[in-house]
Amino acid sequence: MNHDEVPVTLGKFDISEADVSLVREAGRLLDDEVDAFVDDFYRWLSVKDEYQVFFAGSPHTLARVQKLQASHWRGLFRAQLDEAYFASRRHIGAVHARIDLPNDIYCAGMSMSGRGMVDRLRAMTPPPANVEAMVAALTKLVFLDLYLVIDEIARIQKDKILQHSNAMLEMSTPVTPIWEGILLLPLVGIIDSARTQDVMNKTLAKIAETRARIFVLDISGVGTVDTAVANQLIKITKATQLMGCESIISGISPTVARTIVELGVRVGEVKTTATLRDGFEMALKSVGVDHWQLSQRRPGDVR
């Protein structure tokens, strides 16, 4: 955790020392009612679909979660707003992310809980003189709790998406030796600047590993190539040339051809073909393989 997170976040939510004192005062007034308050919450939840998913047929789980929730609210009333407090709220977010608790029911539950605390304060006889100030302070803290939990859920989901994306990227960049001295990379799907950078890194590493002389980059399976990506592809060919490996871009469509022309790239600088077959034949000629040698190759031969 960033050490500045606590003061910066409290500042954004406009939570002052006066608010902390008011929350603690409200906590002293409501402490004896926390368990009843939690019971009210689960009566509210019992008619929701999520109750059947997470608690139906599991009284032990329900009792354990009720106990944790009572502890949660007493922790809020203590209002010890430090790194440990923030971490405890983010832990709740991590738990909810793990069990796939829907955000809508959590937010609805926090809204119901906030109203429940406010109603209890206002129903006291006589009501505290500063009850509305307590209500305002409690509302700020409930929203802070809600933010910390939802933000942690969002962070975990973002990490999962990034991990999945990285895994897909690994699988979608198979730089493969297809002949002695020849590497092939068929690109499929959407390519962007991040993916072309990954192509660059893996291609150069594979060239260094195999000492390849020809690299065939087939983009026939790519739907669209914008100007930025086309520029990156040209940079890949130049980088491979610096390592002594000639590049051929195959699968050039009319749209991609126009994009490359718009870049002002001289045609002679980049070897291109309309099909992968043409690109493969060009690569074979570059390494000195002719049609007679190909015809003599037996099934199962590996070059």
Side-chain angles (χ1 to χ4, degrees):
M1 176 187 294
N2 186 332
H3 292 297
D4 294 333
E5 180 185 12
V6 173
V8 169
T9 305
L10 294 181
K12 288 179 179 178
F13 281 81
D14 196 26
I15 297 175
S16 64
E17 286 298 327
D19 292 317
V20 169
S21 297
L22 286 166
V23 169
R24 290 171 178 169
E25 183 179 350
R28 287 190 289 272
L29 294 172
L30 293 172
D31 187 67
D32 291 338
E33 298 190 46
V34 169
D35 291 334
F37 169 70
V38 171
D39 288 340
D40 287 347
F41 173 83
Y42 282 94
R43 275 192 289 274
W44 168 84
L45 185 64
S46 65
V47 297
K48 306 293 189 294
D49 293 339
E50 287 77 10
Y51 184 90
Q52 298 300 317
V53 173
F54 294 102
F55 299 114
S58 184
H60 295 296
T61 299
L62 177 60
R64 179 176 60 82
V65 173
Q66 285 176 314
K67 185 177 179 179
L68 289 172
Q69 190 160 338
S71 176
H72 171 92
W73 290 118
R74 289 191 169 98
L76 180 140
F77 290 139
R78 286 192 295 273
Q80 190 65 41
L81 305 181
D82 52 16
E83 291 184 5
Y85 182 93
F86 274 50
S88 70
R89 271 41 188 174
R90 291 191 177 279
H91 174 72
I92 293 171
V95 171
H96 288 178
R98 186 174 68 247
I99 65 174
D100 288 328
L101 181 75
N103 288 344
D104 58 353
I105 194 64
Y106 180 73
C107 292
M110 288 295 287
S111 176
M112 181 270 174
S113 297
R115 291 196 306 272
M117 286 187 290
V118 167
D119 290 345
R120 278 177 162 76
L121 281 173
R122 287 174 172 160
M124 288 182 174
T125 306
N130 57 350
V131 64
E132 293 308 319
M134 287 184 190
V135 167
L138 275 172
T139 300
K140 290 181 185 180
L141 208 50
V142 167
F143 274 108
L144 172 65
D145 269 32
L146 178 62
Y147 156 72
L148 291 172
V149 171
I150 296 299
D151 186 60
E152 183 65 13
I153 292 172
R155 186 193 66 78
I156 291 172
Q157 290 174 338
K158 183 178 179 180
D159 285 347
K160 287 181 178 178
I161 292 171
L162 182 59
Q163 290 170 7
H164 178 71
S165 177
N166 288 339
M168 292 298 292
L169 198 59
E170 287 291 327
M171 292 187 294
S172 64
T173 316
V175 183
T176 307
I178 58 170
W179 197 276
E180 184 177 349
I182 301 176
L183 296 176
L184 169 66
L185 172 58
L187 288 179
V188 178
I190 298 173
I191 57 175
D192 53 20
S193 295
R195 191 175 177 195
T196 53
Q197 186 61 48
D198 185 63
V199 169
M200 170 89 79
N201 295 338
K202 290 183 177 176
T203 299
L204 298 181
K206 201 70 174 180
I207 290 171
E209 175 190 335
T210 63
R211 301 176 67 182
R213 295 164 52 195
I214 304 294
F215 170 58
V216 181
L217 177 63
D218 182 65
I219 60 172
S220 56
V222 176
T224 58
V225 175
D226 61 22
T227 303
V229 171
N231 193 35
Q232 290 294 323
L233 295 178
I234 301 305
K235 287 181 179 179
I236 290 172
T237 67
K238 293 181 178 179
T240 61
Q241 288 171 4
L242 290 175
M243 296 189 67
C245 181
E246 184 181 4
S247 288
I248 300 169
I249 301 179
S250 67
I252 297 289
S253 67
T255 302
V256 174
R258 284 195 299 271
T259 302
I260 292 177
V261 169
E262 289 170 2
L263 283 173
V265 177
R266 292 196 299 271
V267 177
E269 292 181 350
V270 183
K271 288 191 174 183
T272 62
T273 64
T275 67
L276 176 57
R277 176 176 178 174
D278 291 340
F280 186 41
E281 288 185 356
M282 184 183 293
L284 289 171
K285 289 178 182 178
S286 296
V287 296
V289 179
D290 57 28
H291 288 288
W292 183 85
Q293 288 175 290
L294 284 176
S295 67
Q296 297 303 307
R297 185 184 180 192
R298 296 187 301 274
D301 282 352
V302 177
R303 300 294 185 189

